[in-house]
Amino acid sequence: MDGQDPADIKMGNVDEEESSVVVHGTVILGIDPEGGEALLFKDLEVTNSKVKLIAYLAIDGNLNKSIELGELKENRGTVKIAIPLGTDTSPYNTVVLRDQKSKKKVAVIEL
């Protein structure tokens, strides 16, 4: 995401505490140097390592108006998830993290 116009980058911070899961970090939506666009979770920390989180790019946190991006493979550090090629990301203003097992939203991050 280096070398691109900062106006083209959407970014938000997550600091959510949901019952058994606490999530901290920064979320960045921008151009992936390897091609296309990507969602980057920077300085990610998920306190419950047993939970499997699924990331969605959504409009106003609404999962009915979202694209499922896939599972966060790591609970700490930097995690990158590719956006499907050809996706117009301009209408999406939130990232939703949802517990795969319980289907509950763990975090809604405004970009």
Side-chain angles (χ1 to χ4, degrees), residues 10-111:
K10 293 182 180 180
M11 186 170 75
N13 292 310
V14 57
D15 192 13
E16 296 282 335
E17 295 185 27
E18 179 65 38
S19 59
S20 63
V21 182
V22 178
V23 182
H24 298 284
T26 301
V27 181
I28 303 167
L29 172 62
I31 296 170
D32 186 349
E34 296 175 12
E37 289 183 280
L39 196 61
L40 185 71
F41 292 85
K42 192 173 179 183
D43 301 323
L44 179 67
E45 184 178 346
V46 180
T47 60
N48 185 342
S49 62
K50 295 179 184 177
V51 70
K52 290 186 179 182
L53 297 178
I54 306 298
Y56 297 82
L57 197 54
I59 298 172
D60 300 326
N62 185 340
L63 288 177
N64 292 324
K65 297 178 181 178
S66 70
I67 299 170
E68 182 177 331
L69 301 176
E71 180 183 341
L72 291 180
K73 300 295 183 191
E74 301 291 330
N75 287 331
R76 294 190 181 279
T78 300
V79 179
K80 181 173 74 173
I81 299 179
I83 305 293
L85 287 175
T87 300
D88 177 10
T89 59
S90 62
Y92 300 99
N93 59 358
T94 52
V95 172
V96 176
L97 297 179
R98 185 170 87 160
D99 180 346
Q100 184 177 32
K101 186 176 180 181
S102 72
K103 306 293 185 203
K104 289 183 180 180
K105 290 181 185 179
V106 173
V108 177
I109 305 109
E110 290 187 32
L111 298 174

